Amino acid sequence: MPTTARAGEQVLEFKLVTRPVDVKVTEVANVEGQTVMSGKMFGVAVFKDGRIAVKDFVNSSDLLKGSGPMFGYSTYTFDDGSSITARYTGAIKDGKAKGEYTILSGTGMYANATGTGGFESVQSGFKGAFLYDGRFIVKTP
């Protein structure tokens, strides 16, 4: 497991399970099936290298009959205290979510990190929770 900061580029692949914590869904007047959703979410990411991170994030979406754009801000915190904070944009279509990350900052081994990444929902049997495949391409100084 990595324990010290390394200059360069790292690809971090992970599985992610998320669930809403404090979410407000508002129906739009006079537009059938249109909702605006915003709120706090939580997740746990299991990385291919065996590390686990908790994900605290805020999400906002503008959905017509369950499909439409979304964006948010995520902070993944590893058990050594290192973290990656990223903004994401994406869309939900036909019940599937897909998005792209832009890494804004990091702490610990990811101090001053930049980079990109993405995520895509995966079919799961979880009730009230969602499963994703994700990855970061992290650049550290």
Side-chain angles (χ1 to χ4, degrees):
M1 284 195 263
T3 55
T4 58
R6 289 183 281 173
E9 188 174 285
Q10 244 183 322
V11 176
L12 304 175
E13 295 183 324
F14 55 92
K15 290 277 191 197
L16 172 67
V17 176
T18 68
R19 88 176 294 146
V21 175
D22 182 15
V23 173
K24 180 162 177 56
V25 178
T26 306
E27 292 184 18
V28 176
N30 302 317
V31 184
E32 186 181 336
Q34 187 77 50
T35 59
V36 175
M37 187 275 289
S38 181
K40 292 182 179 185
M41 314 275 278
F42 179 80
V44 175
V46 179
F47 287 77
K48 276 198 172 174
D49 66 7
R51 294 181 303 150
I52 296 174
V54 294
K55 176 182 177 175
D56 286 297
F57 65 114
V58 293
N59 183 78
S60 182
S61 61
D62 181 7
L63 306 179
L64 178 59
K65 297 178 183 169
S67 295
M70 66 177 173
F71 75 92
Y73 294 86
S74 302
T75 297
Y76 290 78
T77 305
F78 296 85
D79 64 357
D80 71 352
S82 296
S83 68
I84 294 171
T85 297
R87 183 179 196 280
Y88 65 86
T89 59
I92 301 170
K93 186 175 180 185
D94 302 324
K96 294 186 179 209
K98 186 174 185 174
E100 295 181 1
Y101 287 114
T102 301
I103 297 173
L104 302 175
S105 65
T107 64
M109 70 185 299
Y110 300 113
N112 302 310
T114 59
T116 59
F119 61 90
E120 191 167 347
S121 61
V122 178
Q123 190 68 35
S124 79
F126 296 134
K127 292 191 187 315
F130 307 94
L131 177 63
Y132 300 89
D133 284 330
R135 75 184 226 159
F136 287 121
I137 301 165
V138 183
K139 296 175 183 156
T140 49

